[in-house]
Amino acid sequence: MRRIISTEPVHRDRRDLHNLRSMLPFLWEFRGRALLALACLVLAKLANVGIPILLKEIVDAFEDPQAGMLVLPVSLLSAYGALKLSASLFNELRDAVFARVRYRAMRRLSTRVLEHLHRLSLRYHLERRSGAISRDLERGTRSVSTILNYMVFSMLPVLVEFALVAAVLLTRYAAVFTLVTFGTVMVYVAFTLTITEWRMDFRHRMNRLDSQANGQALDSLMNYETVKYFGNEVTELARYDDTLRDWEQVAVKSQSSMSILNFGQGGIIAIGVTLIMVFAARGVVAGTMSIGDLVLVNALLLQLFIPLNFLGVVYRQIKYALADMDLVFKLLEREPEIADRPGAGPLVLHGGQVRFQRVDFYYQPQRQILRGLDLALEPGQKLAVVGPSGAGKSTLARLLFRFYDVTGGRILIDGQDLRDITQDSLRAAIGIVPQDTVLFNESILYNLAYGRPGASRAEIEQAAQMAHILDFIEGLPERWDTVVGERGLKLSGGEKQRVAIARAMLKRPRILVFDEATSSLDSHTERAIQQTLAEVAEDHTTLVIAHRLSTVVDADHILVMVGGRIREQGTHRQLLEQQGVYAEMWELQRHERDVPVA
């Protein structure tokens, strides 16, 4: 057990180095700017170290009354002011030059993460918690700016200043000054590293609990109506507060351990400064050092230990940022479940024939969804799939879009296996009207044009007319600029489905899929849209997934699915004559329509 525990810091350090290397490609675009910023940094530190040296000369000049009191100090004071101004100038130049590098890296990483999220499979997005991942991504992207900021503006300047101070001490004074100074630094760094590593566990736990609480809050707000339906506001608040209580306990421990760290750092610096001043004072008394030397040593130490005191905070922030960054790079390293095969080509469409050949599929091995499914959808044909809930009907659409790969058999479009063609070309050939239509929190125009972003306004209006939603849009106070709300909640279920129908029509795909496309429409609108869908589907391969049988009576062929298998098939009339499952469903639904509302 001890061996396993002892290797954990090594593993974490390897992850940190790996993440830092992974960050380098995002900086490469502006490598020239980065080098220029480093040059400004060095010049600023040269000016900084030159200031105490000039201060010594000024003090010594005042001690020598024969040195021309009115001329020499003035020139030295002028040089002193010039060095102060130069240090400030080069620091600001460094910040201005490096700003483009830092913010471009943040932009590139954010875009890369979003691109990768879109590449990940549907299974990942169904299992993830939106609130937690959004908080992790926010912290991870911000961590890039934090690391670049501290490394370029804090770590590197301190290292450069250390080198310059060491050179001054070694060339001007006894070795004891260098030994005490850098001995203090080594003790300080060792203490800081040890305590900070101990504190990192608190930070990881705080991050996890913070993400969990944020996910719970967002989940509660996204299900606002459900919470209200069941009156569970107290339950949601209690769940959220329980997580925050755990977060509070860890945060208090983190703050207490920080106080220990800060006090220890202050004590080490105080002892080091005291020792240096004792040796300097002895040198002045012995006559081996001037008052100016005492001032110089004191100024160098103050100049060195002030950023060193801040270095502990910087180191902790970098470690925290590396922990945050690790979440993002682990996400980027996650391989998509569904990926194009090497050498996959685009789909070559002829008529749009679709075939499921002996297809087996399951989401989990213990729960089989489809069993040896065979179906053929000919070009221009309208095929309907009906059956009870849980029969696997909607799974057909997900497999056709290749959101999942079949676990057995294969799916062909015009003789081409879906696994041998690119996902982009496959999805460009298919249009869908889903049962649960989710819209962007944008205008109606944006949501309609999403079907084909390059479509003209006339084409968009024509699609809206065909979906019988144009009059509704024109009657709104803001018309096409009306914002539909989060997930389209400002529209009714029927209005959202008509937007989805118009969007699918605008896409002009070869293959159409209607997954309960009219389930939220009233009878009058449903009949109108059914006629429109029939017109649109004339030159398309059309798959209709339905529970309401009245929507599929005109289908060329109907499949009845039960338990992942095809139980019956034929036309509407043929299935009624068989007096099987379809006939029972038809009678039951017809009876439900005939029963008057109480």
Side-chain angles (χ1 to χ4, degrees), residues 60-131:
D60 287 345
F62 276 110
E63 285 204 3
D64 184 3
Q66 306 300 322
M69 294 283 294
L70 298 177
V71 178
L72 187 57
V74 171
S75 61
L76 289 174
L77 288 171
S78 299
Y80 180 88
L83 283 178
K84 276 280 190 183
L85 183 62
S86 298
S88 177
L89 172 65
F90 287 121
N91 276 330
E92 295 306 321
L93 280 175
R94 176 201 61 188
D95 294 357
V97 169
F98 198 73
R100 178 74 67 179
V101 182
R102 180 156 54 111
Y103 292 118
R104 179 62 59 86
M106 291 177 64
R107 171 188 163 194
R108 294 292 188 216
L109 180 61
S110 300
T111 305
R112 172 81 179 280
V113 169
L114 183 60
E115 177 191 17
H116 187 72
L117 282 170
H118 280 295
R119 289 177 56 233
L120 291 178
S121 66
L122 178 63
R123 191 191 308 274
Y124 169 81
H125 288 280
L126 292 177
E127 293 174 353
R128 68 179 169 84
R129 294 181 68 88
S130 300

Side-chain angles (χ1 to χ4, degrees), residues 171-431:
T171 56
R172 286 176 172 260
Y173 303 107
V176 67
F177 290 98
T178 304
L179 291 175
V180 172
T181 299
F182 289 95
T184 304
V185 170
M186 291 175 63
V187 173
Y188 180 93
V189 170
F191 176 79
T192 301
L193 292 179
T194 303
I195 301 298
T196 302
E197 287 298 328
W198 167 58
R199 297 187 65 248
M200 282 306 297
D201 180 58
F202 297 137
R203 180 67 179 192
H204 285 297
R205 288 163 62 188
M206 284 177 65
N207 281 355
R208 179 178 57 80
L209 291 168
D210 182 49
S211 296
Q212 181 178 333
N214 189 65
Q216 290 171 344
L218 186 60
D219 197 30
S220 176
L221 293 175
M222 290 179 67
N223 291 279
Y224 173 84
E225 293 184 41
T226 304
V227 174
K228 291 296 183 181
Y229 290 153
F230 294 94
N232 278 340
E233 294 91 341
V234 174
T235 301
E236 290 298 319
L237 287 174
R239 185 172 68 131
Y240 181 62
D241 190 57
D242 286 344
T243 304
L244 287 182
R245 183 185 300 112
D246 294 338
W247 174 85
E248 176 190 350
Q249 297 298 327
V250 179
V252 169
K253 292 178 181 178
S254 178
Q255 184 60 49
S256 300
S257 61
M258 180 181 288
S259 298
I260 295 173
L261 178 60
N262 289 338
F263 178 75
Q265 290 171 338
I268 293 169
I269 291 174
I271 293 172
V273 170
T274 302
L275 287 174
I276 288 291
M277 293 307 296
V278 167
F279 286 116
R282 283 183 177 179
V284 173
V285 172
T288 58
M289 294 177 65
S290 67
I291 298 296
D293 290 319
L294 178 66
V295 171
L296 173 59
V297 171
N298 183 56
L300 283 176
L301 287 174
L302 290 177
Q303 194 163 292
L304 188 62
F305 281 121
I306 287 174
L308 184 62
N309 187 37
F310 183 65
L311 190 64
V313 178
V314 171
Y315 175 76
R316 293 195 300 272
Q317 293 300 322
I318 288 178
K319 292 294 290 184
Y320 298 158
L322 286 170
D324 294 338
M325 181 187 288
D326 193 47
L327 299 170
V328 172
F329 282 109
K330 280 182 177 177
L331 174 64
L332 290 175
E333 291 166 8
R334 186 184 183 112
E335 291 295 328
E337 180 184 347
I338 307 300
D340 293 339
R341 286 179 176 173
L347 174 64
V348 180
L349 281 171
H350 301 294
Q353 181 196 59
V354 178
R355 284 188 177 274
F356 284 63
Q357 294 183 345
R358 304 297 299 168
V359 169
D360 293 326
F361 179 73
Y362 54 77
Y363 295 104
Q364 292 90 27
Q366 61 271 24
R367 185 185 172 210
Q368 190 83 10
I369 302 298
L370 300 179
R371 298 176 173 84
L373 183 72
D374 282 300
L375 67 84
L377 185 53
E378 300 300 329
Q381 184 185 37
K382 180 179 180 180
L383 175 69
V385 179
V386 300
S389 298
K393 305 185 300 296
S394 293
T395 299
L396 299 180
R398 289 179 169 181
L399 291 177
L400 187 58
F401 270 90
R402 207 186 164 206
F403 289 152
Y404 300 93
D405 276 336
V406 297
T407 53
R410 58 180 186 164
I411 303 175
L412 307 174
I413 294 181
D414 286 334
Q416 301 158 80
D417 194 315
L418 300 192
R419 292 166 292 194
D420 295 329
I421 59 179
T422 61
Q423 297 175 69
D424 289 342
S425 65
L426 168 66
R427 291 163 191 163
I430 307 173

Side-chain angles (χ1 to χ4, degrees), residues 349 427-432 451-452 454-456 458-460 462-463 466 501-512 536 539-540:
L349 281 171
R427 291 163 191 163
I430 307 173
I432 187 170
R452 184 156 51 91
S456 66
E459 291 173 319
I460 296 172
Q462 182 183 13
M466 294 175 69
I501 292 169
R503 188 166 59 185
M505 293 175 177
L506 185 65
K507 187 178 181 182
R508 296 179 179 174
R510 173 70 65 179
I511 301 168
L512 284 170
V536 171
D539 299 324
H540 295 76

Side-chain angles (χ1 to χ4, degrees), residues 449-471:
Y450 202 78
R452 184 156 51 91
S456 66
R457 182 63 175 265
E459 291 173 319
I460 296 172
E461 292 182 1
Q462 182 183 13
Q465 180 67 53
M466 294 175 69
H468 296 266
I469 196 175
L470 182 61
D471 291 340

